[in-house]
Amino acid sequence: MNIILLGPPGAGKGTQARRLVDERNMVQLSTGDMLREARTSGTEMGLKVAQVMDNGHLVTDEIVIGLIRERLTGAQPEGGYIFDGFPRTLAQADALGELMADVGQSIARVIEMSVDDDVLVARVTGRSTCGDCGEVYHDVTRPIPADGACVKCGGRTFKRRADDNEASLRTRLMAYYKQTSPLIGYFHAKGNLSTVDGLAEIDTVAACIAELLA
Ligand code: AMP
């Protein structure tokens, strides 16, 4: 079963995607992660998108569609794909539909994670991740353990994203409302949209998603 997690930055898409990978053997395709990887590996594309990302704007459709196209070739995962942070524009949504059809697949469900804007600022500005396994922490709601070791892998380096600051978040939210939120209507019209309350506890959100995928 292939699904899309849709929602503003900080809604919890990455956190839920990681759980689905662990629990249902799904494959997470996060264009944000792919772009960050391209930056750190210093590829031409990575250098090109770095400033756009730090300022909170969307990178071009051509680039992200290309990244997804590359990942969809080859054997399809048994548990299905989780599209996390993609599509973010109507053009990307159309392209995804075509790419999936080309490999004989479709999107079974689009799960919108709805969250209050004020909460997003607090969530995003306190966020950090394990440098080794990507486990997500938050200064207030899920602090890094006192012994400094990641609960999941024991790693001891933690990262904060360059774009997880209030100014960049405002721009990312505006991009979400202007360019991405029209996808809610788009997928509603296609008939496979469901909404979960992204403000609920992580386990509660996970349970709601599990129910939708049952
Ligand atoms: P994310 O990790 O999903 O919050 O993405 C971080 C940043 O990467 C975004 O603010 C954009 O600059 C860029 N990005 C990620 N996914 C996309 C996408 N599907 N379309 C355009 N830009 C993207």
Side-chain angles (χ1 to χ4, degrees):
M1 185 185 285
N2 304 301
I3 65 166
I4 295 172
L5 295 181
L6 192 63
K13 303 183 296 292
T15 301
Q16 295 298 330
R18 291 175 58 78
R19 281 185 73 133
L20 291 166
V21 168
D22 288 347
E23 292 166 12
R24 304 177 74 100
N25 221 7
M26 297 179 83
V27 170
Q28 177 186 11
L29 293 182
S30 156
T31 40
D33 285 349
M34 293 174 203
L35 291 165
R36 278 184 288 278
E37 209 172 286
R39 288 179 63 159
T40 44
S41 56
T43 62
E44 197 184 322
M45 187 262 281
L47 297 173
K48 205 159 111 187
V49 301
Q51 206 179 357
V52 176
M53 291 175 75
D54 286 348
N55 290 334
H57 297 291
L58 294 187
V59 310
T60 63
D61 288 336
E62 195 191 347
I63 288 177
V64 288
I65 292 167
L67 287 170
I68 291 289
R69 183 184 294 118
E70 276 172 27
R71 302 295 171 111
L72 292 183
T73 53
Q76 303 303 307
E78 230 172 80
Y81 291 113
I82 309 156
F83 293 94
D84 161 13
F86 180 92
R88 261 175 156 98
T89 65
L90 290 166
Q92 291 176 24
D94 280 339
L96 178 61
E98 285 166 23
L99 289 172
M100 294 299 275
D102 287 348
V103 291
Q105 299 275 328
S106 61
I107 300 292
R109 271 204 185 274
V110 180
I111 302 174
E112 182 210 354
M113 303 181 63
S114 74
V115 195
D116 197 277
D117 283 3
D118 292 334
V119 175
L120 295 178
V121 178
R123 276 196 185 179
V124 163
T125 52
R127 158 163 99 169
S128 56
T129 52
C130 170
D132 293 327
C133 75
E135 188 68 3
V136 183
Y137 293 91
H138 188 278
D139 295 347
V140 178
T141 54
R142 194 168 187 251
I144 294 163
D147 66 0
C150 171
V151 291
K152 193 147 185 214
C153 74
R156 292 186 167 273
T157 53
F158 297 90
K159 302 187 288 196
R160 282 191 197 268
R161 283 170 48 169
D163 58 349
D164 274 352
N165 60 73
E166 193 164 346
S168 170
L169 177 68
R170 297 275 170 214
T171 311
R172 286 153 72 198
L173 271 179
M174 190 55 82
Y176 179 77
Y177 289 117
K178 280 169 89 166
Q179 292 165 277
T180 308
S181 67
L183 297 184
I184 296 169
Y186 174 101
F187 288 117
H188 178 68
K190 282 189 176 264
N192 54 2
L193 181 80
S194 309
T195 302
V196 298
D197 177 9
L199 284 177
E201 291 289 319
I202 292 175
D203 288 346
T204 311
V205 179
C208 293
I209 292 176
E211 213 169 286
L212 291 171
L213 304 186

